[in-house]
Amino acid sequence: MSAPLLCAGRVVVVTGAGRGLGRAHALAFAAEGARVVVNDLGVGLDGTPDPDSPAGRVAEEIRAAGGEAVAHGGDIATTEGAASLVRTALETYGRLDTLVNNAGFLRDRMLVNLDEDDWDAVMRVNLKGHFLPLRHAAAHWRAEAKAGRVPRARVVNTSSGAGLLGSVGQGNYSAAKAGIVGLTLVAAAELGRYGVQVNAIAPTARTRMTERAFAQTMAAPDAAGSFDAMAPENVSPLVVWLGSAAGPGVTGRVFETEGGRITVMEGWRPGPTADRGGRWTPAEAGDAALKLLAEAAAPGGVYGAEG
């Protein structure tokens, strides 16, 4: 007897699902029995329009395999686009169980060359594009809970190693992805009473966004068919599990995932402390800081930093 499908009966929304990680997530959810709303605006890496919008193709791919899916091409970094996304799930399938926030893009510059438009564009798609779908989905789930229909809802946000450690040439992207971690922690704390669990992943995989940055290290499998550690499909099993009704109580967590490795990331925690019970002079504060730093663990290296 085969094992029951992990997401049978659930309705899952995946943003940025036309390619790369989002496409892999959408297909993996469908394979576990979910009905999927495939969102993708269909733009290039820099956010400019792409005439070949992929959301419909992924939805058709799911249907061709015997699953259920509908495409959504709205801009989820706008209030109407995010509201429409939630509406599409409810009007098409009558419910919403899981939101996977995956949409994002890059405009890489060193800080001295990073202009305001590049900053605003990356913040808009990566951070605002997480907030607005989350806000509209959360409003629906809160209403359900208040009506006595407490959901087993799940949100999976997409951060990055750049958001956890920083990445040279990606000040805007690093800040946005760090913001997603903060948003995840707040949402987990606020929405738990409504039956919503919220977690984040920091994935490493070969996608349009990473292929240039990691071209030397992200090799495809060799002719013998060895494990392709950088395939986006490696990330999706954890996302599907986090988006299922399994794992009650798993919320407010960040998982790094690469190849066959899953790591629970541990964020800021109090380290060495000194308290004199009164005000320090600047010199005394400096002496105390140096002594504490000598006792503290060294920080992780920023991606791309020399040395």
Side-chain angles (χ1 to χ4, degrees):
M1 180 181 296
S2 59
L5 297 176
L6 193 60
C7 294
R10 292 181 72 80
V11 174
V12 177
V13 167
V14 184
T15 70
R19 303 180 179 92
L21 284 167
R23 172 182 172 274
H25 300 341
L27 294 174
F29 272 108
E32 287 291 336
R35 293 166 286 176
V36 185
V37 179
V38 181
N39 164 265
D40 202 289
L41 183 59
V43 296
L45 285 175
D46 62 354
T48 56
D50 183 342
D52 185 23
S53 181
R57 294 200 309 272
V58 174
E60 178 55 36
E61 190 175 355
I62 290 171
R63 291 192 293 267
E68 295 184 58
V70 62
H72 178 271
D75 182 356
I76 47 82
T78 67
T79 295
E80 176 50 37
S84 169
L85 180 65
V86 172
R87 228 173 21 246
T88 296
L90 298 177
E91 292 176 356
T92 305
Y93 299 120
R95 60 186 296 132
L96 172 61
D97 299 287
T98 298
L99 168 65
V100 178
N101 281 315
N102 171 76
F105 76 91
L106 303 172
R107 285 190 183 175
D108 293 351
R109 302 282 190 279
M110 301 298 279
L111 285 173
V112 294
N113 296 318
L114 182 62
D115 64 33
E116 188 174 357
D117 289 342
D118 293 330
W119 177 272
D120 288 345
V122 168
M123 287 293 171
R124 176 185 181 276
V125 173
N126 289 280
L127 187 52
K128 190 176 180 183
H130 269 61
F131 160 66
L132 285 175
L134 174 57
R135 182 253 181 271
H136 286 280
H140 165 70
W141 289 322
R142 181 181 65 174
E144 288 290 287
K146 288 188 172 182
R149 299 183 295 270
V150 179
R152 289 190 294 175
R154 303 290 188 264
V155 178
V156 184
N157 291 329
T158 306
S159 183
S160 168
L164 303 178
L165 294 174
S167 180
V168 170
Q170 293 188 312
N172 48 2
Y173 184 74
S174 296
K177 290 299 189 178
I180 288 168
V181 172
L183 178 64
T184 297
L185 300 180
V186 172
E190 291 185 357
L191 302 179
R193 72 188 71 178
Y194 306 125
V196 185
Q197 294 182 185
V198 187
N199 294 285
I201 60 165
T204 300
R206 183 179 55 254
T207 69
R208 286 195 309 165
M209 288 174 58
T210 60
E211 61 185 359
R212 286 181 293 183
F214 298 106
Q216 301 303 314
T217 59
M218 290 187 161
D222 59 27
S226 62
F227 176 55
D228 181 0
M230 292 299 111
E233 290 79 9
N234 299 330
V235 176
S236 299
L238 177 62
V239 174
V240 170
W241 185 82
L242 290 171
S244 74
V250 179
T251 193
R253 295 289 195 163
V254 179
F255 297 86
E256 189 174 64
T257 153
E258 175 184 353
R261 177 175 58 84
I262 296 172
T263 303
V264 176
M265 304 303 288
E266 298 180 337
W268 294 106
R269 298 175 183 272
T273 302
D275 183 356
R276 65 170 298 165
R279 183 176 300 159
W280 305 85
T281 68
E284 290 170 339
D287 288 340
L290 290 173
K291 290 178 182 177
L292 294 174
L293 288 170
E295 301 172 14
V302 173
Y303 289 110
E306 295 181 1

